Amino acid sequence: MSLDNVHSLPYLLPELILTLAILSVFVGDLVIAAKERIGEIALVGGALVLVAVWAVAGRADAGLFNRMVIHDRFASFFKVIFILATLAAVWMSLTSREARRSNQGEYYGILLSSALGMCFMASSANLLMAYLSLEFVSLTSYVLTGILKHSRRSGEAAVKYLIYGGVASGTMIYGMSWIFGLAGSMDYARINAALSQGGSNQLALFIALVLTLTGFGYKIAAVPFHMWAPDVYQGAPIPIAAFLSVGSKAAGFALLIRFFYPAISQLAPSGLWTALPGIEWPQLVLVLSMITMTLGNFAALSQQNLKRLLAYSSIAHAGYILMGFVVLSNDGLRAMMFYLIAYYLMNIGAFLVVMIVANSTGREDIEAYRGLAWRGGAMPAVAMAIFLFSLAGLPPLGGFIGKFYLFAAVIERQFYLLALVGVANSVVSLYYYARIVKAMFLDQPAGGEGTVVVGVHDGSLLWGLAGATVALGLYWSPVMSFVERSLHFFAG
């Protein structure tokens, strides 16, 4: 079912509410004297969008605006993740010392705008729409990274992000132009139909896919497009780094999956996908997956700054998630989507602890965590241990279940070398995660670290995320059922 502009509007209720929330934030910045209230407007707007996503999710699948975007359960799943990541970032920003130093209207308005772009990334069904939405998210991300106008570190990170992003974007759209030339259309369904007939020059098509993969790989911070991540995470305000590490990465995976699966692959009744004959992109991504997780983990070993360490950890996790991408099966896709939920809980939680410690001490290095549990920070220390052990994949936490599904999908398809590399990398990651836990519980404070104070506002989110991380490791079937229902693409 393909709908025209007018009949598409009811399906666009979440995006319309989000747009209204963005306008409310900017107008509120002009008329409200108490600027701290602007964050609350953003929070309420985000919550309404989440309700709207659930309300619209039950509608029948459809192609909207003459198939420029799609409404299906796959898109709704990722919109939930984007809005939850936005709500978490707004909640953290309300008590973040860094965020309070920025213009509140610009900060929250651009943050919500970035979430709006991500929603369109997940539902893009056309190369032009995919490119425009990715660019919109990138531009807002550059501004958010450099929003601390008096911070040299923030400005430098924004410039580096802009340069890397510009190169990746130019390369990607060049690849998309090749695909348009080969298929004669920018619509995903028509591209699939044209390429499935064969006859296209295989070398030209392979080059086009590699160039297009550059843009997607840049968004998920996969090697060799990862170089922006450490500087951007370190330079951006902590809530923004948390938002980019989860929301931006999930948006990149949504775009990647929709293009490389329903757009250029074929689904068999067995639940297995078949790539275009003669185009070996799964093997290429398999190598990228192994290199990404290995480089991310080994680079994290020597990091002293927690934000940079979590940036390299984020790169490594992109490699883990790509394991599910290369096996060409619905089991692999389900494992990826489940892992993104677990990753949301544990990574947002880890950044929240970094923000709590930075708010109290002004420091982000591991030395600031010496004896954290014994100088007023028992709650964040315990929560941080839960998040880090979950990121390492230890039971009985959500990260363990996520990795279990990823490794099961890989082994089922007999990618034994990939599974072996993944296990070895998980062991390596345990070393640098445990180094932080050791500093928090076993090292004695030197005396100058300062006392850490956790307020009710941050504490409520902290225990919510920690409890959810543990609960996901003990009883995950409702979440997996939600993921299974969400793995549905509208082919048109």
Side-chain angles (χ1 to χ4, degrees), residues 24 46 73 112 138 156 167 223 241 284 291 294 320 366-367 373 378 390 417 420 430-431 442 478:
S24 301
R73 293 198 291 272
L112 294 181
S138 297
E156 181 182 334
V167 173
V223 175
L284 173 64
I291 295 175
T294 303
Y320 295 137
I366 293 180
E367 285 299 306
S390 183
L417 177 61
L420 187 63
L430 181 60
Y431 173 79
L442 300 181

Side-chain angles (χ1 to χ4, degrees), residues 101-133:
R101 291 204 301 267
S102 63
N103 181 291
Q104 296 295 279
E106 292 177 3
Y107 181 88
Y108 290 109
I110 296 170
L111 178 58
L112 294 181
S113 300
S114 188
L116 178 63
M118 291 176 186
C119 290
F120 283 112
M121 280 179 70
S123 53
S124 296
N126 185 290
L127 288 176
L128 180 61
M129 193 66 206
Y131 176 76
L132 291 175
S133 56

